[in-house]
Amino acid sequence: MSRAAKKNRKVVIDLSEDELDGPVIESSSEDDFKGDVSSSESEGESESLSSSVVSSEVEPSPVKKGKKKVTKNTPMKKSRKSETKEEHKEDKKSAQNKRKQSMENVKEAKKMKTEDSGERKSTSGKNENTQRAEELPFAVEYAKTSRATCKHCGSKIEKDELKLCTRFPSPFFDGYQEQGFHFVCFFNRAAKVKLFPHNFKGFDWIKEEDQERIKKKIDDVIESAGGMEEILKEYIPTVSIGKRSAKCAECKESLEKDEIRISCKSQNFHVKCYKDSNKRFFKGSSKEIYSYNSMSDEHKKLLDELFPKAEGSVKKEELDENEVKLKEQAKMMNELKAAFEKNLSRDEVKELLEANGHGSDKRTHERNIKCLIELSLFGVPENCKKCGNIVEFSESQVKFICRGKDEDQVRCDFKTRAPVVTRLHVPDNMKDENEYLNKVFIPRKRTRILPKDTMGAE
């Protein structure tokens, strides 16, 4: 619509009622408005020209050129060859047969593996259980640092303070772990039935005054409990017929329902396992076992064969005599230790051990000195007759054991209390270089005295 038309339209709309009553105004023709239209068009052209001039003055913004996407031509998929129905069926059958054969082979391989692993577990489990059962339950040493904390009171154990430990089988590795205590705190936690002076690993290596201190404390604790006989009453076992399946605490195998078993301190055992276990503190006859009279004749006969009579305890005179010999032996060992620390270097200690076939890079210097003392006083044991590896004295097992392992990392079970030994050999070049080895040191071949009052750990 042109501007003139818009003006006329406004005039018509703005007329009052008086003006509407007057003469009617005739509508103008299209020709009358041509001039106005042309003028309006000219005005529009002028406006467009002015806008074009303004736009020409403003510089256009730079356009960022984007990288063109390059489309790679993907190769056409290979068309599969057409096959007949019969050939397709034959291929299916052959594929199914191959799958069946592969599945059978996998099953056979799994069976072979399980059988091999079962045999290994059974053999290794027996060795581990027997060795662990013979470990000493306690240990004693002087604290090397002040970082350790007492497991009873939670306070620190100062450096060079006497530290007493309980030992238990580790759930993480094949060996034992230790928990340290203060001297007083230890006797609040330790099992009284195991409190013997030589049940402590490292007892021979502490000072004589500390040895006497431990002995006196043990006597006081046992006396306050009413004596060892009163303590052992808690460990009298009970025989019964199992109402449900359970696990043997010694061999770790299952105890079937309606099978005869022995129970002690909330632990169940096979009858034969309990007889050979170091967890057994009962030394009486079969008739002293609880519920013996309620068993059948067949079961009574089995118990009578395993526990025919009460085991006699070691006489006090024998213990006293053994104690005197052990004290003299410990004194000699500590004197030799002080001499080695003063006159021998670390390398010389290692060289002496290697010259006698007992060298090891895994041992600490302290353990090397202890090993050299054993060889110097009691001789070098001959190698194991079973596997040919070295035989050494074990403090925790209180006997000479073989350190060898087979291909499956199962330890050799060779053990003895009286091995065949030879004197320690000192090379001539070491004698020339070290005056102590040349003039003072004399290797010996004594019989090692073993304690008679030791009991195994759990």
Side-chain angles (χ1 to χ4, degrees):
M1 185 182 289
S2 63
R3 290 183 180 180
K6 286 180 180 179
K7 287 179 181 180
N8 292 333
R9 187 182 177 190
K10 284 182 180 180
V11 170
V12 172
I13 292 168
D14 294 334
L15 288 174
S16 61
E17 292 180 358
D18 297 332
E19 290 174 343
L20 287 171
D21 294 336
V24 178
I25 300 171
E26 293 180 358
S27 62
S28 58
S29 62
E30 292 179 359
D31 296 333
D32 297 335
F33 295 101
K34 280 182 181 179
D36 296 331
V37 171
S38 60
S39 64
S40 64
E41 288 177 357
S42 62
E43 288 176 0
E45 288 176 359
S46 63
E47 287 178 0
S48 63
L49 287 170
S50 62
S51 62
S52 63
V53 171
V54 172
S55 62
S56 63
E57 291 176 357
V58 179
E59 294 181 358
S61 60
V63 180
K64 293 182 180 179
K65 295 181 180 180
K67 293 182 180 180
K68 293 182 180 180
K69 292 183 180 179
V70 180
T71 56
K72 295 181 180 180
N73 295 325
T74 56
M76 297 293 290
K77 293 183 179 179
K78 295 180 180 180
S79 59
R80 295 181 180 178
K81 294 180 180 180
S82 59
E83 296 178 352
T84 60
K85 290 183 179 180
E86 293 179 358
E87 290 177 353
H88 190 61
K89 287 180 181 179
E90 289 177 358
D91 292 339
K92 273 189 175 181
K93 286 181 181 180
S94 62
Q96 287 176 358
N97 292 331
K98 286 180 180 179
R99 286 176 185 173
K100 286 181 181 179
Q101 288 179 358
S102 62
M103 291 294 288
E104 288 175 0
N105 293 333
V106 169
K107 287 180 181 179
E108 288 178 1
K110 283 183 178 179
K111 284 181 181 179
M112 293 291 290
K113 284 183 180 179
T114 52
E115 288 175 1
D116 293 340
S117 62
E119 290 176 0
R120 289 176 185 175
K121 284 180 181 178
S122 62
T123 54
S124 62
K126 287 179 183 177
N127 287 333
E128 286 175 4
N129 289 334
T130 52
Q131 285 184 351
R132 284 185 170 183
E134 294 172 357
E135 295 274 343
L136 293 180
F138 308 129
V140 60
E141 63 178 354
Y142 296 106
K144 297 174 184 177
T145 63
S146 58
R147 294 193 299 268
T149 56
C150 177
K151 301 301 179 184
H152 181 71
C153 66
S155 58
K156 287 187 177 181
I157 302 172
E158 298 298 331
K159 186 180 178 181
D160 298 328
E161 184 181 353
L162 192 67
K163 182 174 73 172
L164 279 68
C165 306
T166 57
R167 304 180 71 240
F168 57 94
S170 173
F172 306 109
F173 58 88
D174 182 17
Y176 273 67
Q177 286 181 290
E178 296 180 356
Q179 288 185 339
F181 299 88
H182 292 112
F183 180 84
V184 177
C185 297
F186 171 81
F187 292 96
N188 294 325
R189 295 284 292 271
K192 295 174 184 176
V193 72
K194 301 175 186 176
L195 284 177
F196 293 93
H198 295 284
N199 259 7
F200 290 83
K201 178 186 174 183
F203 186 79
D204 293 334
W205 300 103
I206 61 176
K207 298 175 184 177
E208 187 176 351
E209 56 188 20
D210 289 327
Q211 290 181 1
E212 295 298 327
R213 185 183 171 196
I214 291 173
K215 289 177 185 177
K216 186 179 179 182
K217 183 65 177 177
I218 289 172
D219 292 339
D220 294 341
V221 170
I222 292 173
E223 187 178 352
S224 63
M228 186 55 71
E229 293 180 0
E230 193 68 26
I231 294 170
L232 288 172
K233 286 181 181 179
E234 299 178 7
Y235 293 87
I236 298 175
T238 303
V239 63
S240 62
I241 302 298
K243 295 181 180 179
R244 63 183 70 181
S245 60
K247 186 182 284 187
C248 178
E250 183 66 21
C251 68
K252 308 302 180 185
E253 294 182 2
S254 61
L255 286 159
E256 300 298 333
K257 185 181 177 182
D258 299 329
E259 183 182 0
I260 185 172
R261 65 183 66 175
I262 283 182
S263 304
C264 182
K265 288 286 185 179
S266 68
Q267 289 183 326
N268 298 312
F269 301 85
H270 292 106
V271 180
K272 292 181 180 179
C273 291
Y274 181 74
K275 170 67 177 177
D276 301 329
S277 175
N278 256 19
K279 298 174 184 178
R280 176 175 71 93
F281 301 105
F282 172 71
K283 304 297 180 183
S285 63
S286 58
K287 294 179 181 179
E288 297 177 28
I289 298 174
Y290 293 137
S291 303
Y292 171 81
N293 295 325
S294 63
M295 304 303 293
S296 64
D297 294 338
E298 184 182 354
H299 291 151
K300 283 181 181 179
K301 186 179 179 181
L302 175 63
L303 293 171
D304 291 339
E305 290 175 357
L306 294 173
F307 308 98
K309 58 182 181 179
E311 299 176 13
S313 58
V314 183
K315 294 180 181 179
K316 188 178 180 182
E317 296 176 357
E318 293 180 6
L319 285 174
D320 293 341
E321 185 181 352
N322 181 252
E323 189 63 32
V324 172
K325 292 180 180 179
L326 287 169
K327 192 180 288 186
E328 292 176 359
Q329 181 176 270
K331 187 178 180 180
M332 292 174 61
M333 292 166 66
N334 285 305
E335 287 176 356
L336 194 58
K337 182 182 178 182
F340 282 170
E341 289 175 349
K342 183 179 179 181
N343 298 296
L344 296 179
S345 64
R346 290 174 179 261
D347 294 334
E348 287 174 334
V349 171
K350 286 183 179 180
E351 191 175 349
L352 277 171
L353 290 173
E354 288 173 0
N356 291 273
H358 284 256
S360 176
D361 295 331
K362 296 180 180 179
R363 284 196 296 253
T364 60
H365 179 60
E366 185 179 358
R367 286 187 63 191
N368 280 336
I369 287 180
K370 288 182 179 180
C371 182
L372 185 59
I373 291 167
E374 290 284 342
L375 303 180
S376 302
L377 283 178
F378 311 111
V380 182
E382 290 185 354
N383 287 353
C384 177
K385 295 179 181 179
K386 289 186 176 182
C387 63
N389 285 295
I390 61 172
V391 175
E392 291 181 345
F393 181 76
S394 172
E395 285 186 76
S396 58
Q397 298 185 36
V398 200
K399 61 184 67 174
F400 293 87
I401 64 170
C402 177
R403 296 293 186 185
K405 293 182 180 180
D406 61 8
E407 295 177 354
D408 298 327
Q409 296 299 311
V410 179
R411 291 182 180 179
C412 179
D413 58 353
F414 176 77
K415 299 171 187 176
T416 181
R417 288 179 174 269
V420 180
V421 296
T422 57
R423 287 185 185 275
L424 181 78
H425 170 66
V426 182
D428 294 334
N429 61 335
M430 294 190 71
K431 289 181 180 179
D432 296 337
E433 295 174 358
N434 193 310
E435 188 177 353
Y436 171 77
L437 294 175
N438 189 19
K439 296 182 179 180
V440 181
F441 177 66
I442 301 173
R444 300 182 184 182
K445 200 171 68 170
R446 296 170 58 92
T447 302
R448 201 184 205 291
I449 308 299
L450 302 177
K452 294 184 178 181
D453 57 347
T454 57
M455 284 189 177
E458 290 184 359

